[in-house]
Amino acid sequence: MYKVLMTSDYNSQNTYVKSIVDEIKGEFIIQCDTTNFWSKEEKFDIIHIQWVEELLGWYNYDLKDIKKLELQLNVWKSKGSKIVMTLHNELPHVDNILNNILYSTVYKYLDVVIHLGNYSYKYLKVTNKDIVIPHVNYYKDSIVIPNKKAKQYISIPSDTFLFLSFGKIRDIAEEKQIIKAFKKVRAKNDLLLILGTKILGKRPQFKKNPIKRITYELKKQYYLKKGIYFEKNRIYKDKLKYYLNAADVVICPRIKTLNSGVIYQGFSYGKVVLGPDIGNIGSILKTMKNPVFKPKDSVSIQNALTKAKYLSKKTNKGELNLQTTLKENNSKKIGLQHCNLYKSILLNLC
């Protein structure tokens, strides 16, 4: 059997990689880790890079690290390995002045790039053999809990309409834009819950800084009166189901990004999803006839919130989202597409 190295954590909280690997491990010998990428002794037929930055510990890397990475890519090429990359990001999410150098260095060694949507396939092609394989859904991880029961579990009044901003906030402007628009269109029973907040982060200790602690509590009360809740702690798998079942609408709050698993999490729980009209996110949401907005445009976001609420309450759009993602993004289908790609690469058909 051919050997494939998937350079990512199989047990990550994000089950994207696990879902695909579970489908193809019968066809190939699959290893899932970053350590063996740096081996001089191992032999793999295919090296499949997911997130380049994961190979360098995600965030803090310098030119020496990039040079080391390039040398190792040369090692794999000298052994005859085919190198594939899934383009999750246009560049790493955390700013580093070397991000462009990092990605452009890796691009030189790629045989094929997998795009998660038609937008990046059209505008960000890397090789002449690039291909589109959609993002896998998260249906295997979803557990249905009645909406009201889920709301009670996360301490949200059960008779409210909940907009859930899902995914860790990367830039404080992401949540500010949603808050500003929500306050304009909020009805009496509407609530907004923002996960991974930056606005209301770690609570200061009163003894160390009483003024900051008082300011923090006043700010929290102000937002509560406006129907806005925050969750600063990361939500792990065992509790994720409560938040997604409690949501009536799921918001992808991004300002600048190419793809987002948030929309597939929302679809997998049968929710209406709204997000920015950028990258593959906007293209996919529009194809699925879910609301989109222009980042930082308050009127545009207000319209998207209003439309999403209407679709959630008056139509079966959430259920249609679920049925579409079950058909188009199921792990068996996405796994088969990976299998076919690997085989075509190995047989020099691609």
Side-chain angles (χ1 to χ4, degrees):
M1 292 177 77
Y2 290 112
K3 289 181 68 178
V4 176
L5 176 65
M6 188 84 76
T7 66
S8 194
D9 179 10
Y10 177 82
N11 294 311
S12 170
Q13 285 290 311
N14 182 349
T15 58
Y16 171 88
V17 168
K18 181 180 185 300
S19 294
I20 295 169
V21 170
D22 285 349
E23 294 294 337
I24 65 178
K25 61 187 178 185
E27 297 283 336
F28 302 91
I29 298 170
I30 303 273
Q31 285 192 27
C32 248
D33 64 50
T34 55
T35 304
N36 271 336
F37 175 83
W38 301 102
S39 171
K40 298 293 191 295
E41 290 75 36
E42 286 279 5
K43 173 72 169 68
F44 292 97
D45 298 288
I46 291 177
I47 306 293
H48 188 160
I49 299 169
Q50 293 293 333
W51 293 269
V52 177
E53 53 271 33
E54 188 172 6
L55 293 168
L56 300 178
W58 287 109
Y59 304 130
N60 299 314
Y61 54 86
D62 55 26
L63 283 172
K64 288 182 180 179
D65 295 318
I66 295 175
K67 183 62 178 176
K68 180 183 174 185
L69 176 62
E70 184 167 22
L71 289 172
Q72 187 60 27
L73 288 167
N74 271 302
V75 169
W76 292 121
K77 281 295 186 181
S78 70
K79 292 184 176 186
S81 300
K82 300 295 185 180
I83 303 179
V84 180
M85 176 179 166
T86 298
L87 195 66
H88 291 278
N89 313 316
E90 190 170 354
L91 289 172
H93 295 314
V94 176
D95 287 337
N96 185 318
I97 59 172
L98 301 176
N99 281 344
N100 279 298
I101 296 174
L102 173 64
Y103 270 46
S104 60
T105 298
V106 174
Y107 287 165
K108 293 185 294 184
Y109 295 88
L110 300 177
D111 293 285
V112 179
V113 168
I114 298 173
H115 295 267
L116 297 174
N118 291 320
Y119 174 90
S120 62
Y121 177 76
K122 182 177 180 180
Y123 294 108
L124 300 171
K125 263 192 175 181
V126 178
T127 78
N128 61 0
K129 298 176 181 177
D130 285 17
I131 188 173
V132 175
I133 299 181
H135 198 296
V136 70
N137 66 32
Y138 293 96
Y139 184 71
K140 284 188 174 180
D141 299 325
S142 65
I143 299 173
V144 176
I145 299 169
N147 179 268
K148 289 186 177 182
K149 182 178 179 181
K151 282 187 170 81
Q152 289 171 347
Y153 182 88
I154 63 172
S155 302
I156 296 291
S158 60
D159 60 344
T160 56
F161 187 93
L162 180 63
F163 292 91
L164 177 70
S165 174
F166 185 70
K168 183 180 178 181
I169 297 296
R170 295 174 187 154
D171 183 327
I172 199 167
E174 291 180 342
E175 56 185 320
K176 282 185 174 180
Q177 65 174 352
I178 302 299
I179 289 170
K180 181 180 179 181
F182 175 77
K183 288 195 293 186
K184 292 285 187 181
V185 300
R186 183 202 175 198
K188 183 179 180 182
N189 285 338
D190 291 348
L191 291 181
L192 170 64
L193 172 57
I194 296 177
L195 302 184
T197 177
K198 284 186 177 291
I199 285 180
L200 212 66
K202 187 175 180 180
R203 186 171 65 170
Q205 293 184 10
F206 187 82
K207 287 184 178 180
K208 289 186 176 180
N209 201 320
I211 301 300
K212 282 189 177 180
R213 173 62 176 272
I214 291 169
T215 302
Y216 178 95
E217 296 297 343
L218 289 173
K219 185 188 292 187
K220 181 179 178 180
Q221 290 304 313
Y222 165 79
Y223 282 118
L224 283 174
K225 288 180 180 178
K226 300 293 183 180
I228 302 166
Y229 291 62
F230 298 92
E231 175 56 65
K232 59 183 179 293
N233 298 318
R234 183 172 182 177
I235 308 300
Y236 290 94
K237 288 182 194 175
D238 58 333
K239 291 186 178 180
L240 187 63
K241 57 184 179 288
Y242 293 104
Y243 287 86
L244 286 164
N245 278 292
D248 295 290
V249 164
V250 171
I251 303 171
C252 174
R254 303 299 176 221
I255 288 173
K256 187 178 76 170
T257 194
L258 183 62
N259 299 290
S260 177
V262 168
I263 61 178
Y264 294 97
Q265 287 279 13
F267 292 161
S268 297
Y269 275 85
K271 306 297 178 181
V272 175
V273 180
L274 69 117
D277 190 9
I278 54 174
N280 291 324
I281 297 172
S283 174
I284 291 161
L285 287 174
K286 285 188 289 188
T287 299
M288 297 276 282
K289 294 182 169 53
N290 284 256
V292 295
F293 60 81
K294 295 179 182 178
K296 298 184 180 180
D297 183 329
S298 187
V299 173
S300 175
I301 300 170
Q302 290 170 42
N303 291 337
L305 290 168
T306 301
K307 183 177 180 181
K309 184 177 179 180
Y310 171 81
L311 290 172
S312 177
K313 294 187 75 170
K314 303 295 184 181
T315 75
N316 65 339
K317 186 67 211 158
E319 179 61 25
L320 289 174
N321 285 340
L322 173 59
Q323 294 307 317
T324 301
T325 201
L326 288 176
K327 179 182 177 182
E328 302 296 335
N329 308 99
N330 66 80
S331 58
K332 186 173 182 179
K333 182 175 182 177
I334 303 304
L336 179 61
Q337 288 177 281
H338 278 77
C339 272
N340 290 339
L341 173 63
Y342 291 168
K343 289 174 182 176
S344 9
I345 292 170
L346 294 167
L347 295 173
N348 293 315
L349 299 175
C350 177

